[in-house]
Amino acid sequence: MVRKSFGDPVAEDLRFVVKTVVGEENFVDMYPNKSNNYCCGGGGGYLQSGFTEARHEYGRMKLNQILATGANYCITPCHNCHAQVHDLSEHYEAGYHTVHLWTIICLALGCLGENERTYLGEDLAEVGL
Amino acid sequence: MTKPDEIMDLSQIDHGVFRSFPFLQDHCITCGICSSSCPVSGIDGFDPRKLVRLISLGMKDEAVDSRWPWICTMCGKCQYVCPMDIHIPDLVRAVRSMRERDKVPGILHKGLEAAIRTGNNLGLPKEDFIFILEDVGEEIAEEPGFEGFTVPIDKDGANILTTIHNKLVNTHTEDLKHWWKIFYAAGEDWTVPSDQWEGTNWGLFTGDDQAMKTMVGRIADHMDRLKVKNLLWPE
């Protein structure tokens, strides 16, 4: 969406939303970012291709980017990204949590239901219930 | 010393089936920036520059039969950094399109066939789809602050039409709730089609232009039929 379609302005919009819902002090950007970021390796049909081992190898670049931020949560805006980034954390036992952008928005709105918290860690599991 | 042009007469190169490719592949100066930028360089011995050279040299079988075009996600980092602006992701997709359809990897072509036939990758019947949407809607209506919530299916003149990722009416129905709650909180006037609702378009992945056009056409038809101004296609 950023590099191939709408460019950096839409990446700025996404950062505005994330910072608004998590608080600016809790936001850590990764490097490189925006149009110069690396693909997670879940899209383009990879998750459906059956080439799991190659997909995990592809994702090492993204895994290292995430780990370099030191953040406990990685927010993903798309289904493919979520599935891949979540799987990378499990496969490489990286320990970070992967949440959909809209899950975090609902958490901030105070309307995230009890059974909608699969991807939250212990620190956020009870927030707003 | 033998000069390169004595070893190979470049004017004699047969581009073969790739002759009509419009992706500027012959502009490649073999600088290798694409390969340095690519997260998949090294896997299967692949890197974008090698694929561009295969195409430029007309090596069809090597390109089409290999796994290379399929372990790339067409993310476009290579083109973003390419000083010659070679359209490498489009080139990859075009090579994918040349693979026999029964040799397309994984579930991609089977899912696409189901979508063309039934309107969604799962082959989920319309009545089951509506049942799931209404069931999830009723769960939301039981939560404080969402009393009276209903799912506005096929609503004429809504502001937003949203498509559905098949995963959300299969194994991840709770993820439907997030979207709908945000719409509700924002007072958004939205709708969802009762059939042909599939948001994923695997024709994009497999290089199947005809299937992709069919899938996009269905969404466009919903927009016309329901007179909806904006499309939320969150895939």
Side-chain angles (χ1 to χ4, degrees):
Chain A
M1 182 171 81
V2 177
R3 179 158 54 231
K4 293 174 76 174
S5 299
F6 298 111
D8 283 354
V10 78
E12 297 291 357
D13 288 348
L14 281 165
R15 278 159 180 74
F16 169 77
V17 173
V18 172
K19 286 176 186 173
T20 304
V21 295
V22 306
E24 190 149 4
E25 68 280 12
N26 292 315
F27 174 72
V28 193
D29 214 335
M30 60 172 52
Y31 183 86
N33 51 46
K34 302 173 193 166
S35 291
N36 203 29
N37 210 327
Y38 288 104
C39 172
C40 67
Y46 225 143
L47 281 158
Q48 298 85 14
S49 72
F51 301 142
T52 309
E53 198 180 327
R55 176 167 58 76
H56 285 152
E57 195 62 27
Y58 186 123
R60 280 157 57 94
M61 187 77 85
K62 181 57 68 186
L63 177 84
N64 290 332
Q65 275 185 288
I66 295 167
L67 291 176
T69 66
N72 297 323
Y73 286 85
C74 180
I75 299 176
T76 53
C78 110
H79 290 289
N80 280 331
C81 295
H82 183 273
Q84 167 77 342
V85 173
H86 178 76
D87 189 36
L88 289 173
S89 183
E90 300 229 314
H91 178 74
Y92 291 106
E93 299 178 356
Y96 62 80
H97 302 284
T98 313
V99 287
H100 292 291
L101 177 56
W102 53 88
T103 304
I104 283 290
I105 294 174
C106 282
L107 185 68
L109 286 169
C111 65
L112 189 67
E114 203 170 343
N115 63 349
E116 300 160 39
R117 296 170 175 248
T118 313
Y119 301 111
L120 295 182
E122 279 181 22
D123 55 337
L124 294 180
E126 307 282 326
V127 171
L129 278 179
Chain B
M1 186 182 159
T2 312
K3 292 178 182 171
D5 59 358
E6 290 168 352
I7 301 169
M8 180 184 280
D9 180 353
L10 292 176
S11 69
Q12 294 302 307
I13 290 176
D14 179 7
H15 290 64
V17 70
F18 300 127
R19 184 179 299 279
S20 62
F21 269 21
F23 309 120
L24 311 179
Q25 64 273 9
D26 287 349
H27 291 199
C28 177
I29 53 171
T30 67
C31 68
I33 292 178
C34 55
S35 303
S36 323
S37 75
C38 174
V40 77
S41 279
I43 302 174
D44 286 4
F46 168 81
D47 69 55
R49 176 171 58 175
K50 286 184 191 167
L51 186 68
V52 171
R53 299 313 294 162
L54 279 187
I55 304 306
S56 198
L57 295 170
M59 298 169 73
K60 174 175 177 282
D61 292 345
E62 287 81 354
V64 175
D65 295 343
S66 88
R67 205 167 71 151
W68 285 5
W70 303 92
I71 60 171
C72 153
T73 59
M74 304 184 280
C75 78
K77 178 103 175 178
C78 49
Q79 182 176 345
Y80 185 72
V81 298
C82 176
M84 304 306 285
D85 194 28
I86 298 169
H87 304 171
I88 303 174
D90 290 342
L91 189 151
V92 166
R93 185 171 177 274
V95 175
R96 288 186 181 194
S97 76
M98 296 166 77
R99 179 79 76 97
E100 286 174 47
R101 293 298 90 181
D102 61 355
K103 290 181 181 163
V104 169
I107 58 171
L108 287 166
H109 186 60
K110 290 187 185 69
L112 185 58
E113 280 184 317
I116 295 298
R117 200 172 61 248
T118 69
N120 65 85
N121 293 13
L122 305 170
L124 188 70
K126 181 176 178 175
E127 57 273 23
D128 293 0
F129 175 70
I130 293 173
F131 175 83
I132 292 166
L133 296 193
E134 291 181 340
D135 193 46
V136 174
E138 283 166 21
E139 281 181 30
I140 291 179
E142 288 170 12
E143 294 184 34
F146 292 92
E147 294 83 3
F149 177 88
T150 55
V151 185
I153 300 170
D154 289 332
K155 185 182 174 192
D156 273 314
N159 185 44
I160 288 180
L161 178 98
T162 176
T163 60
I164 302 280
H165 187 303
N166 57 79
K167 189 159 97 171
L168 302 192
V169 286
N170 188 14
T171 51
H172 290 66
T173 53
E174 71 282 359
D175 287 351
L176 285 169
K177 292 183 180 175
H178 305 143
W179 289 100
W180 297 352
K181 285 178 174 179
I182 294 167
F183 290 153
Y184 191 85
E188 189 53 81
D189 181 16
W190 64 284
T191 189
V192 54
S194 59
D195 61 2
Q196 317 275 21
W197 44 263
E198 181 61 71
T200 72
N201 191 334
W202 287 354
L204 172 67
F205 297 162
T206 65
D208 190 334
D209 286 342
Q210 192 53 49
M212 191 163 152
K213 192 174 172 185
T214 300
M215 299 292 287
V216 172
R218 289 169 176 174
I219 306 295
D221 287 346
H222 289 315
M223 302 288 287
D224 286 343
R225 177 175 58 90
L226 297 171
K227 300 180 182 61
V228 178
K229 295 180 204 70
N230 299 296
L231 173 64
L232 182 68
W233 195 343
E235 314 311 333

PDB file of all heavy atoms in Angstrom, chain A residues 92-125:
ATOM      1  N   TYR A  92      10.685 -18.415  15.397  1.00  0.00           N
ATOM      2  CA  TYR A  92      12.030 -18.066  15.888  1.00  0.00           C
ATOM      3  C   TYR A  92      12.057 -17.806  17.399  1.00  0.00           C
ATOM      4  O   TYR A  92      13.069 -17.351  17.927  1.00  0.00           O
ATOM      5  CB  TYR A  92      12.563 -16.845  15.135  1.00  0.00           C
ATOM      6  CG  TYR A  92      12.888 -17.137  13.680  1.00  0.00           C
ATOM      7  CD1 TYR A  92      12.070 -16.679  12.653  1.00  0.00           C
ATOM      8  CD2 TYR A  92      14.016 -17.875  13.336  1.00  0.00           C
ATOM      9  CE1 TYR A  92      12.364 -16.950  11.317  1.00  0.00           C
ATOM     10  CE2 TYR A  92      14.324 -18.149  12.001  1.00  0.00           C
ATOM     11  CZ  TYR A  92      13.489 -17.690  11.000  1.00  0.00           C
ATOM     12  OH  TYR A  92      13.793 -17.961   9.686  1.00  0.00           O
ATOM     13  N   GLU A  93      10.900 -18.084  18.055  1.00  0.00           N
ATOM     14  CA  GLU A  93      10.769 -17.888  19.500  1.00  0.00           C
ATOM     15  C   GLU A  93      11.255 -16.504  19.922  1.00  0.00           C
ATOM     16  O   GLU A  93      12.054 -16.350  20.850  1.00  0.00           O
ATOM     17  CB  GLU A  93      11.526 -18.999  20.249  1.00  0.00           C
ATOM     18  CG  GLU A  93      10.956 -20.378  19.916  1.00  0.00           C
ATOM     19  CD  GLU A  93      11.712 -21.512  20.607  1.00  0.00           C
ATOM     20  OE1 GLU A  93      12.716 -21.236  21.288  1.00  0.00           O
ATOM     21  OE2 GLU A  93      11.282 -22.662  20.463  1.00  0.00           O
ATOM     22  N   ALA A  94      10.759 -15.505  19.191  1.00  0.00           N
ATOM     23  CA  ALA A  94      11.229 -14.129  19.391  1.00  0.00           C
ATOM     24  C   ALA A  94      10.546 -13.437  20.565  1.00  0.00           C
ATOM     25  O   ALA A  94      11.080 -12.473  21.116  1.00  0.00           O
ATOM     26  CB  ALA A  94      11.009 -13.320  18.113  1.00  0.00           C
ATOM     27  N   GLY A  95       9.341 -13.882  20.920  1.00  0.00           N
ATOM     28  CA  GLY A  95       8.710 -13.387  22.136  1.00  0.00           C
ATOM     29  C   GLY A  95       7.857 -12.140  22.008  1.00  0.00           C
ATOM     30  O   GLY A  95       7.189 -11.757  22.955  1.00  0.00           O
ATOM     31  N   TYR A  96       7.869 -11.472  20.858  1.00  0.00           N
ATOM     32  CA  TYR A  96       7.004 -10.286  20.728  1.00  0.00           C
ATOM     33  C   TYR A  96       5.579 -10.723  20.343  1.00  0.00           C
ATOM     34  O   TYR A  96       5.371 -11.821  19.842  1.00  0.00           O
ATOM     35  CB  TYR A  96       7.559  -9.297  19.685  1.00  0.00           C
ATOM     36  CG  TYR A  96       7.649  -9.842  18.281  1.00  0.00           C
ATOM     37  CD1 TYR A  96       6.528  -9.903  17.455  1.00  0.00           C
ATOM     38  CD2 TYR A  96       8.861 -10.296  17.763  1.00  0.00           C
ATOM     39  CE1 TYR A  96       6.604 -10.419  16.174  1.00  0.00           C
ATOM     40  CE2 TYR A  96       8.953 -10.807  16.472  1.00  0.00           C
ATOM     41  CZ  TYR A  96       7.822 -10.865  15.690  1.00  0.00           C
ATOM     42  OH  TYR A  96       7.893 -11.383  14.415  1.00  0.00           O
ATOM     43  N   HIS A  97       4.614  -9.837  20.617  1.00  0.00           N
ATOM     44  CA  HIS A  97       3.220 -10.100  20.255  1.00  0.00           C
ATOM     45  C   HIS A  97       2.893  -9.368  18.949  1.00  0.00           C
ATOM     46  O   HIS A  97       3.448  -8.301  18.686  1.00  0.00           O
ATOM     47  CB  HIS A  97       2.277  -9.618  21.359  1.00  0.00           C
ATOM     48  CG  HIS A  97       2.560 -10.251  22.680  1.00  0.00           C
ATOM     49  ND1 HIS A  97       2.203 -11.549  22.971  1.00  0.00           N
ATOM     50  CD2 HIS A  97       3.182  -9.779  23.780  1.00  0.00           C
ATOM     51  CE1 HIS A  97       2.582 -11.849  24.199  1.00  0.00           C
ATOM     52  NE2 HIS A  97       3.197 -10.794  24.710  1.00  0.00           N
ATOM     53  N   THR A  98       1.960  -9.933  18.184  1.00  0.00           N
ATOM     54  CA  THR A  98       1.571  -9.330  16.905  1.00  0.00           C
ATOM     55  C   THR A  98       0.084  -9.039  16.939  1.00  0.00           C
ATOM     56  O   THR A  98      -0.720  -9.954  17.128  1.00  0.00           O
ATOM     57  CB  THR A  98       1.873 -10.292  15.738  1.00  0.00           C
ATOM     58  OG1 THR A  98       3.191 -10.803  15.893  1.00  0.00           O
ATOM     59  CG2 THR A  98       1.744  -9.582  14.409  1.00  0.00           C
ATOM     60  N   VAL A  99      -0.277  -7.775  16.806  1.00  0.00           N
ATOM     61  CA  VAL A  99      -1.702  -7.409  16.881  1.00  0.00           C
ATOM     62  C   VAL A  99      -2.145  -6.654  15.636  1.00  0.00           C
ATOM     63  O   VAL A  99      -1.383  -5.885  15.047  1.00  0.00           O
ATOM     64  CB  VAL A  99      -2.018  -6.537  18.120  1.00  0.00           C
ATOM     65  CG1 VAL A  99      -1.974  -7.366  19.381  1.00  0.00           C
ATOM     66  CG2 VAL A  99      -1.102  -5.347  18.218  1.00  0.00           C
ATOM     67  N   HIS A 100      -3.396  -6.888  15.252  1.00  0.00           N
ATOM     68  CA  HIS A 100      -3.987  -6.123  14.157  1.00  0.00           C
ATOM     69  C   HIS A 100      -4.157  -4.671  14.594  1.00  0.00           C
ATOM     70  O   HIS A 100      -4.434  -4.394  15.761  1.00  0.00           O
ATOM     71  CB  HIS A 100      -5.385  -6.663  13.823  1.00  0.00           C
ATOM     72  CG  HIS A 100      -5.383  -8.036  13.229  1.00  0.00           C
ATOM     73  ND1 HIS A 100      -4.887  -8.293  11.970  1.00  0.00           N
ATOM     74  CD2 HIS A 100      -5.831  -9.217  13.702  1.00  0.00           C
ATOM     75  CE1 HIS A 100      -5.035  -9.581  11.697  1.00  0.00           C
ATOM     76  NE2 HIS A 100      -5.596 -10.169  12.732  1.00  0.00           N
ATOM     77  N   LEU A 101      -4.032  -3.771  13.639  1.00  0.00           N
ATOM     78  CA  LEU A 101      -4.235  -2.353  13.940  1.00  0.00           C
ATOM     79  C   LEU A 101      -5.626  -2.118  14.532  1.00  0.00           C
ATOM     80  O   LEU A 101      -5.805  -1.384  15.498  1.00  0.00           O
ATOM     81  CB  LEU A 101      -4.055  -1.522  12.656  1.00  0.00           C
ATOM     82  CG  LEU A 101      -4.298  -0.014  12.760  1.00  0.00           C
ATOM     83  CD1 LEU A 101      -3.423   0.633  13.822  1.00  0.00           C
ATOM     84  CD2 LEU A 101      -4.082   0.653  11.400  1.00  0.00           C
ATOM     85  N   TRP A 102      -6.644  -2.817  13.954  1.00  0.00           N
ATOM     86  CA  TRP A 102      -8.021  -2.561  14.410  1.00  0.00           C
ATOM     87  C   TRP A 102      -8.281  -3.144  15.809  1.00  0.00           C
ATOM     88  O   TRP A 102      -9.150  -2.671  16.522  1.00  0.00           O
ATOM     89  CB  TRP A 102      -9.046  -3.041  13.390  1.00  0.00           C
ATOM     90  CG  TRP A 102      -8.920  -4.459  12.935  1.00  0.00           C
ATOM     91  CD1 TRP A 102      -9.470  -5.547  13.517  1.00  0.00           C
ATOM     92  CD2 TRP A 102      -8.204  -4.939  11.787  1.00  0.00           C
ATOM     93  NE1 TRP A 102      -9.146  -6.679  12.807  1.00  0.00           N
ATOM     94  CE2 TRP A 102      -8.378  -6.348  11.749  1.00  0.00           C
ATOM     95  CE3 TRP A 102      -7.432  -4.322  10.802  1.00  0.00           C
ATOM     96  CZ2 TRP A 102      -7.801  -7.140  10.756  1.00  0.00           C
ATOM     97  CZ3 TRP A 102      -6.873  -5.109   9.821  1.00  0.00           C
ATOM     98  CH2 TRP A 102      -7.060  -6.495   9.809  1.00  0.00           C
ATOM     99  N   THR A 103      -7.503  -4.139  16.219  1.00  0.00           N
ATOM    100  CA  THR A 103      -7.636  -4.660  17.583  1.00  0.00           C
ATOM    101  C   THR A 103      -7.199  -3.594  18.583  1.00  0.00           C
ATOM    102  O   THR A 103      -7.854  -3.355  19.611  1.00  0.00           O
ATOM    103  CB  THR A 103      -6.753  -5.914  17.766  1.00  0.00           C
ATOM    104  OG1 THR A 103      -7.096  -6.879  16.771  1.00  0.00           O
ATOM    105  CG2 THR A 103      -6.936  -6.521  19.146  1.00  0.00           C
ATOM    106  N   ILE A 104      -6.083  -2.943  18.260  1.00  0.00           N
ATOM    107  CA  ILE A 104      -5.553  -1.902  19.147  1.00  0.00           C
ATOM    108  C   ILE A 104      -6.485  -0.687  19.173  1.00  0.00           C
ATOM    109  O   ILE A 104      -6.666  -0.045  20.213  1.00  0.00           O
ATOM    110  CB  ILE A 104      -4.117  -1.502  18.675  1.00  0.00           C
ATOM    111  CG1 ILE A 104      -3.116  -2.580  19.114  1.00  0.00           C
ATOM    112  CG2 ILE A 104      -3.707  -0.156  19.173  1.00  0.00           C
ATOM    113  CD1 ILE A 104      -2.855  -2.631  20.614  1.00  0.00           C
ATOM    114  N   ILE A 105      -7.110  -0.385  18.019  1.00  0.00           N
ATOM    115  CA  ILE A 105      -8.072   0.730  17.992  1.00  0.00           C
ATOM    116  C   ILE A 105      -9.247   0.413  18.918  1.00  0.00           C
ATOM    117  O   ILE A 105      -9.660   1.249  19.730  1.00  0.00           O
ATOM    118  CB  ILE A 105      -8.573   1.007  16.554  1.00  0.00           C
ATOM    119  CG1 ILE A 105      -7.423   1.516  15.674  1.00  0.00           C
ATOM    120  CG2 ILE A 105      -9.713   2.028  16.561  1.00  0.00           C
ATOM    121  CD1 ILE A 105      -7.783   1.684  14.197  1.00  0.00           C
ATOM    122  N   CYS A 106      -9.781  -0.818  18.841  1.00  0.00           N
ATOM    123  CA  CYS A 106     -10.902  -1.204  19.703  1.00  0.00           C
ATOM    124  C   CYS A 106     -10.486  -1.199  21.174  1.00  0.00           C
ATOM    125  O   CYS A 106     -11.272  -0.813  22.044  1.00  0.00           O
ATOM    126  CB  CYS A 106     -11.446  -2.578  19.310  1.00  0.00           C
ATOM    127  SG  CYS A 106     -12.507  -2.532  17.847  1.00  0.00           S
ATOM    128  N   LEU A 107      -9.267  -1.614  21.448  1.00  0.00           N
ATOM    129  CA  LEU A 107      -8.778  -1.591  22.842  1.00  0.00           C
ATOM    130  C   LEU A 107      -8.767  -0.151  23.362  1.00  0.00           C
ATOM    131  O   LEU A 107      -9.210   0.125  24.474  1.00  0.00           O
ATOM    132  CB  LEU A 107      -7.375  -2.210  22.912  1.00  0.00           C
ATOM    133  CG  LEU A 107      -6.779  -2.374  24.308  1.00  0.00           C
ATOM    134  CD1 LEU A 107      -7.544  -3.429  25.104  1.00  0.00           C
ATOM    135  CD2 LEU A 107      -5.301  -2.753  24.237  1.00  0.00           C
ATOM    136  N   ALA A 108      -8.295   0.757  22.506  1.00  0.00           N
ATOM    137  CA  ALA A 108      -8.235   2.171  22.897  1.00  0.00           C
ATOM    138  C   ALA A 108      -9.632   2.770  23.058  1.00  0.00           C
ATOM    139  O   ALA A 108      -9.854   3.639  23.897  1.00  0.00           O
ATOM    140  CB  ALA A 108      -7.443   2.965  21.863  1.00  0.00           C
ATOM    141  N   LEU A 109     -10.589   2.269  22.239  1.00  0.00           N
ATOM    142  CA  LEU A 109     -11.968   2.760  22.336  1.00  0.00           C
ATOM    143  C   LEU A 109     -12.691   2.175  23.543  1.00  0.00           C
ATOM    144  O   LEU A 109     -13.794   2.589  23.869  1.00  0.00           O
ATOM    145  CB  LEU A 109     -12.744   2.392  21.061  1.00  0.00           C
ATOM    146  CG  LEU A 109     -12.442   3.181  19.783  1.00  0.00           C
ATOM    147  CD1 LEU A 109     -13.090   2.512  18.579  1.00  0.00           C
ATOM    148  CD2 LEU A 109     -12.953   4.616  19.919  1.00  0.00           C
ATOM    149  N   GLY A 110     -12.069   1.168  24.172  1.00  0.00           N
ATOM    150  CA  GLY A 110     -12.687   0.537  25.342  1.00  0.00           C
ATOM    151  C   GLY A 110     -13.783  -0.444  24.984  1.00  0.00           C
ATOM    152  O   GLY A 110     -14.658  -0.743  25.803  1.00  0.00           O
ATOM    153  N   CYS A 111     -13.766  -0.955  23.744  1.00  0.00           N
ATOM    154  CA  CYS A 111     -14.843  -1.870  23.347  1.00  0.00           C
ATOM    155  C   CYS A 111     -14.302  -3.205  22.834  1.00  0.00           C
ATOM    156  O   CYS A 111     -14.992  -3.896  22.084  1.00  0.00           O
ATOM    157  CB  CYS A 111     -15.755  -1.208  22.316  1.00  0.00           C
ATOM    158  SG  CYS A 111     -14.963  -0.852  20.744  1.00  0.00           S
ATOM    159  N   LEU A 112     -13.101  -3.572  23.248  1.00  0.00           N
ATOM    160  CA  LEU A 112     -12.551  -4.856  22.805  1.00  0.00           C
ATOM    161  C   LEU A 112     -13.080  -5.961  23.717  1.00  0.00           C
ATOM    162  O   LEU A 112     -12.837  -5.955  24.927  1.00  0.00           O
ATOM    163  CB  LEU A 112     -11.015  -4.824  22.839  1.00  0.00           C
ATOM    164  CG  LEU A 112     -10.321  -6.027  22.198  1.00  0.00           C
ATOM    165  CD1 LEU A 112     -10.563  -6.059  20.695  1.00  0.00           C
ATOM    166  CD2 LEU A 112      -8.828  -6.018  22.492  1.00  0.00           C
ATOM    167  N   GLY A 113     -13.850  -6.885  23.126  1.00  0.00           N
ATOM    168  CA  GLY A 113     -14.508  -7.933  23.911  1.00  0.00           C
ATOM    169  C   GLY A 113     -13.530  -8.932  24.509  1.00  0.00           C
ATOM    170  O   GLY A 113     -12.363  -9.006  24.115  1.00  0.00           O
ATOM    171  N   GLU A 114     -14.055  -9.707  25.437  1.00  0.00           N
ATOM    172  CA  GLU A 114     -13.222 -10.667  26.166  1.00  0.00           C
ATOM    173  C   GLU A 114     -12.650 -11.746  25.244  1.00  0.00           C
ATOM    174  O   GLU A 114     -11.536 -12.210  25.450  1.00  0.00           O
ATOM    175  CB  GLU A 114     -14.078 -11.299  27.273  1.00  0.00           C
ATOM    176  CG  GLU A 114     -13.277 -11.865  28.411  1.00  0.00           C
ATOM    177  CD  GLU A 114     -14.167 -12.268  29.588  1.00  0.00           C
ATOM    178  OE1 GLU A 114     -15.332 -11.823  29.646  1.00  0.00           O
ATOM    179  OE2 GLU A 114     -13.672 -13.026  30.429  1.00  0.00           O
ATOM    180  N   ASN A 115     -13.438 -12.146  24.244  1.00  0.00           N
ATOM    181  CA  ASN A 115     -12.980 -13.222  23.354  1.00  0.00           C
ATOM    182  C   ASN A 115     -12.296 -12.698  22.090  1.00  0.00           C
ATOM    183  O   ASN A 115     -12.153 -13.406  21.110  1.00  0.00           O
ATOM    184  CB  ASN A 115     -14.151 -14.136  22.971  1.00  0.00           C
ATOM    185  CG  ASN A 115     -15.214 -13.391  22.184  1.00  0.00           C
ATOM    186  OD1 ASN A 115     -15.178 -12.155  22.099  1.00  0.00           O
ATOM    187  ND2 ASN A 115     -16.146 -14.117  21.592  1.00  0.00           N
ATOM    188  N   GLU A 116     -11.886 -11.414  22.123  1.00  0.00           N
ATOM    189  CA  GLU A 116     -11.213 -10.825  20.956  1.00  0.00           C
ATOM    190  C   GLU A 116      -9.765 -10.481  21.290  1.00  0.00           C
ATOM    191  O   GLU A 116      -9.174  -9.591  20.692  1.00  0.00           O
ATOM    192  CB  GLU A 116     -11.951  -9.559  20.513  1.00  0.00           C
ATOM    193  CG  GLU A 116     -13.408  -9.795  20.125  1.00  0.00           C
ATOM    194  CD  GLU A 116     -14.223  -8.507  20.168  1.00  0.00           C
ATOM    195  OE1 GLU A 116     -13.701  -7.465  19.777  1.00  0.00           O
ATOM    196  OE2 GLU A 116     -15.377  -8.566  20.641  1.00  0.00           O
ATOM    197  N   ARG A 117      -9.200 -11.182  22.279  1.00  0.00           N
ATOM    198  CA  ARG A 117      -7.895 -10.780  22.801  1.00  0.00           C
ATOM    199  C   ARG A 117      -6.810 -11.833  22.606  1.00  0.00           C
ATOM    200  O   ARG A 117      -5.791 -11.828  23.305  1.00  0.00           O
ATOM    201  CB  ARG A 117      -8.048 -10.450  24.300  1.00  0.00           C
ATOM    202  CG  ARG A 117      -8.967  -9.257  24.486  1.00  0.00           C
ATOM    203  CD  ARG A 117      -9.365  -8.996  25.921  1.00  0.00           C
ATOM    204  NE  ARG A 117     -10.150  -7.768  25.979  1.00  0.00           N
ATOM    205  CZ  ARG A 117      -9.750  -6.645  26.550  1.00  0.00           C
ATOM    206  NH1 ARG A 117      -8.604  -6.575  27.175  1.00  0.00           N
ATOM    207  NH2 ARG A 117     -10.523  -5.579  26.533  1.00  0.00           N
ATOM    208  N   THR A 118      -7.036 -12.706  21.633  1.00  0.00           N
ATOM    209  CA  THR A 118      -6.123 -13.816  21.378  1.00  0.00           C
ATOM    210  C   THR A 118      -4.661 -13.368  21.247  1.00  0.00           C
ATOM    211  O   THR A 118      -3.754 -14.047  21.703  1.00  0.00           O
ATOM    212  CB  THR A 118      -6.514 -14.528  20.059  1.00  0.00           C
ATOM    213  OG1 THR A 118      -7.919 -14.739  20.086  1.00  0.00           O
ATOM    214  CG2 THR A 118      -5.790 -15.849  19.897  1.00  0.00           C
ATOM    215  N   TYR A 119      -4.470 -12.221  20.592  1.00  0.00           N
ATOM    216  CA  TYR A 119      -3.099 -11.823  20.252  1.00  0.00           C
ATOM    217  C   TYR A 119      -2.464 -10.863  21.260  1.00  0.00           C
ATOM    218  O   TYR A 119      -1.336 -10.428  21.062  1.00  0.00           O
ATOM    219  CB  TYR A 119      -3.068 -11.209  18.850  1.00  0.00           C
ATOM    220  CG  TYR A 119      -3.564 -12.173  17.799  1.00  0.00           C
ATOM    221  CD1 TYR A 119      -4.770 -11.954  17.138  1.00  0.00           C
ATOM    222  CD2 TYR A 119      -2.853 -13.329  17.500  1.00  0.00           C
ATOM    223  CE1 TYR A 119      -5.235 -12.856  16.191  1.00  0.00           C
ATOM    224  CE2 TYR A 119      -3.313 -14.238  16.565  1.00  0.00           C
ATOM    225  CZ  TYR A 119      -4.507 -13.987  15.916  1.00  0.00           C
ATOM    226  OH  TYR A 119      -4.967 -14.885  14.989  1.00  0.00           O
ATOM    227  N   LEU A 120      -3.215 -10.528  22.305  1.00  0.00           N
ATOM    228  CA  LEU A 120      -2.650  -9.623  23.313  1.00  0.00           C
ATOM    229  C   LEU A 120      -1.800 -10.397  24.310  1.00  0.00           C
ATOM    230  O   LEU A 120      -2.090 -11.545  24.636  1.00  0.00           O
ATOM    231  CB  LEU A 120      -3.767  -8.896  24.066  1.00  0.00           C
ATOM    232  CG  LEU A 120      -4.649  -7.937  23.259  1.00  0.00           C
ATOM    233  CD1 LEU A 120      -5.669  -7.266  24.176  1.00  0.00           C
ATOM    234  CD2 LEU A 120      -3.806  -6.895  22.546  1.00  0.00           C
ATOM    235  N   GLY A 121      -0.756  -9.751  24.820  1.00  0.00           N
ATOM    236  CA  GLY A 121       0.057 -10.347  25.871  1.00  0.00           C
ATOM    237  C   GLY A 121      -0.602 -10.169  27.226  1.00  0.00           C
ATOM    238  O   GLY A 121      -1.641  -9.497  27.340  1.00  0.00           O
ATOM    239  N   GLU A 122      -0.001 -10.743  28.256  1.00  0.00           N
ATOM    240  CA  GLU A 122      -0.582 -10.686  29.607  1.00  0.00           C
ATOM    241  C   GLU A 122      -0.781  -9.262  30.090  1.00  0.00           C
ATOM    242  O   GLU A 122      -1.736  -8.955  30.796  1.00  0.00           O
ATOM    243  CB  GLU A 122       0.341 -11.429  30.595  1.00  0.00           C
ATOM    244  CG  GLU A 122       0.146 -12.932  30.577  1.00  0.00           C
ATOM    245  CD  GLU A 122       1.050 -13.616  31.589  1.00  0.00           C
ATOM    246  OE1 GLU A 122       1.487 -12.946  32.542  1.00  0.00           O
ATOM    247  OE2 GLU A 122       1.323 -14.818  31.396  1.00  0.00           O
ATOM    248  N   ASP A 123       0.133  -8.358  29.709  1.00  0.00           N
ATOM    249  CA  ASP A 123       0.065  -6.976  30.208  1.00  0.00           C
ATOM    250  C   ASP A 123      -1.171  -6.234  29.713  1.00  0.00           C
ATOM    251  O   ASP A 123      -1.634  -5.297  30.363  1.00  0.00           O
ATOM    252  CB  ASP A 123       1.342  -6.207  29.834  1.00  0.00           C
ATOM    253  CG  ASP A 123       1.629  -6.239  28.324  1.00  0.00           C
ATOM    254  OD1 ASP A 123       1.137  -7.164  27.648  1.00  0.00           O
ATOM    255  OD2 ASP A 123       2.333  -5.344  27.845  1.00  0.00           O
ATOM    256  N   LEU A 124      -1.711  -6.630  28.558  1.00  0.00           N
ATOM    257  CA  LEU A 124      -2.880  -5.931  28.013  1.00  0.00           C
ATOM    258  C   LEU A 124      -4.159  -6.775  28.048  1.00  0.00           C
ATOM    259  O   LEU A 124      -5.243  -6.266  27.773  1.00  0.00           O
ATOM    260  CB  LEU A 124      -2.617  -5.502  26.555  1.00  0.00           C
ATOM    261  CG  LEU A 124      -1.535  -4.438  26.327  1.00  0.00           C
ATOM    262  CD1 LEU A 124      -1.398  -4.141  24.830  1.00  0.00           C
ATOM    263  CD2 LEU A 124      -1.847  -3.149  27.072  1.00  0.00           C
ATOM    264  N   ALA A 125      -4.017  -8.046  28.413  1.00  0.00           N
ATOM    265  CA  ALA A 125      -5.137  -8.992  28.305  1.00  0.00           C
ATOM    266  C   ALA A 125      -6.372  -8.541  29.082  1.00  0.00           C
ATOM    267  O   ALA A 125      -7.502  -8.795  28.667  1.00  0.00           O
ATOM    268  CB  ALA A 125      -4.701 -10.380  28.751  1.00  0.00           C
TER     269      ALA A 125
END
